[in-house]
Amino acid sequence: MLATLPFLGYIVEGLMVTVGATLVGFAGALLIGATLSTLIVGSNTLPRYVASGYVTVFRALPELLFVFIVYYGLDIAMRALAARIGIAPLEISPFAAVTIALAMQFAAYCAEIFRDARTAIPGGLIEAGEAIGLSGTKVRTRIVLPLMFINATPALGNIFLVILKVSALASVIGLEEVTRRAKVVAGTTKEPFGAFAVAGICFLIVTALATALQHYIERRTTFGRSVA
Amino acid sequence: MKAVTRPALTVSDIRKSFGPIEVLKGVSFAAAPGEVISIIGASGSGKSTLLRCLNFLENPTSGKVALGDEVFEATEFASTGRRSRARLMGLRRRMGMVFQSFNLWPHRSALENVMEGPIHVLGRSKAEAESKALELLARVGLSHRAHAYPTELSGGQQQRVAIARMLATDPEVLLFDEPTSALDPELVGEVLAVMKSLAQEGRTMLVVTHEIAFARDVADKVIFMNQGQIEQIGHPDEVLTGEARSDSLRSFLARFERDEIRA
């Protein structure tokens, strides 16, 4: 265990990458997910089918597989493009690849969450807005969206934690995040338990902070309901 | 020479079908300014649908609604063009509605619920909207609950906030869709008292209700609906106790009389 101590800082530094990839991936997933859910409940047939197809495909693909597809796929595409226009190919960073993969994949789950959160809004609340003469846009921004986000908060909190943990998959394409660094340290010190324990504690701390934040948001949005 | 007052609201031949079922089979009537009309009838007689067709929450299949001189055709709102949207919003601004299930926005306090219309429909400043909202909450006896959220209020209090919210956009005609049906019996009185005071200050009101006493004591006119049509319309005495009542009206009213005896 003692041999791991000098590398403590090195492993914990990897947390920056882990949290960074999670935050960017989560933000992307929210954005794409909200867009998808709007299309799915929308009245245009083609976008509706495309969005539903997207959700079906990405809920089915294993995360690891999709990380590979994005990383190597982007690399191949970049080379082909570079060759065509005659410039040196840009290197695809593992960070970019993993955040794109996480955002695209978890957008499918977010779309489902937003759709359920939207459906859970009683129709009467929307009619009440229409009845006083609010415009369609105001009904959406003042009533539908706020209530949708309030309804979605618990489920989105879970998605955030899942993304945090799945981001460890990025180690397979060489992203220097917590688990990757722990593995490197384990190889050097021959103390795998120590190194992975440190990595585990890192995840625990981030999860605890995220959960505290989620509970804070939920408490702020009870609006007089008693919370069990 | 007596001036002829034009009706505040004129309803002409409103029809509404859901699929093959015709729920409203051509309903016409008019409400003079300041007139209170109670609409009674068994469930399924089309009275709530009629009310919802007047502010086009439900799009009538055909017919016309006129507010003062401005005529709104059922057919013009079938499309979603920008111009018809604007006209529809204008119509709804001029017609207030209170729902059976209150429908207060749960993420806003009582005060914020009432301020929503003045700010986002009438374009008033926040300060102006707040003082108006406080005034209206006082009007319905809820000044002390201004900062409470809907879930912290009793049903009767929620419905009174909903009435204040409706009044906040200065509507010319007030629509009440079974405003007391979802309330515990002991809370009905406070809501009816507010409605009665609105009637006394000369508001034009259409009230779909099961409160026969309200129809009898407050309304200027009672409409009895049966199977999507107005079967009887007239002065409360005439409709509720007169000799010319139809058989279906008699049997409808008999149920309430039995209830009153039992109570």
Side-chain angles (χ1 to χ4, degrees), chain A residues 223, chain B residues 105-115 145-150 153 161:
Chain A
F223 304 111
Chain B
W105 300 304
H107 57 309
R108 299 189 201 290
S109 66
L111 182 66
E112 290 166 335
N113 263 277
V114 183
M115 287 168 65
R145 301 298 276 146
H147 296 285
Y149 285 100
L153 300 171
V161 174

Side-chain angles (χ1 to χ4, degrees), chain A residues 125 127 130-131 138 142 223, chain B residues 52 105 108 116 120 151:
Chain A
L125 300 185
E127 285 188 344
E130 290 171 344
K138 291 272 187 193
R142 304 286 306 164
F223 304 111
Chain B
R52 293 166 57 81
W105 300 304
R108 299 189 201 290
E116 192 71 12
H120 293 281
T151 46

Side-chain angles (χ1 to χ4, degrees), chain A residues 74-156:
Chain A
L74 273 183
D75 192 54
I76 292 166
M78 195 58 89
R79 276 172 209 284
L81 182 73
R84 177 161 283 195
I85 59 176
I87 53 162
L90 272 173
E91 200 163 321
I92 300 299
S93 83
F95 185 86
V98 81
T99 50
I100 291 171
L102 290 175
M104 288 182 68
Q105 183 126 39
F106 282 91
Y109 298 102
C110 289
E112 294 282 271
I113 290 168
F114 282 134
R115 196 184 55 165
D116 290 345
R118 168 75 180 73
T119 323
I121 301 171
L125 300 185
I126 294 162
E127 285 188 344
E130 290 171 344
I132 63 166
L134 285 179
S135 68
T137 314
K138 291 272 187 193
V139 167
R140 271 192 295 282
T141 56
R142 304 286 306 164
I143 302 169
V144 177
L145 285 178
L147 290 173
M148 186 177 94
F149 273 104
I150 291 163
N151 290 345
T153 308
L156 291 179

Side-chain angles (χ1 to χ4, degrees), chain B residues 36-58:
Chain B
V36 177
I37 302 182
S38 269
I39 304 172
I40 59 173
S43 25
S45 60
K47 53 195 195 307
S48 280
T49 308
L50 170 63
L51 215 58
R52 293 166 57 81
C53 279
L54 300 184
N55 64 354
F56 293 83
L57 281 182
E58 223 56 90

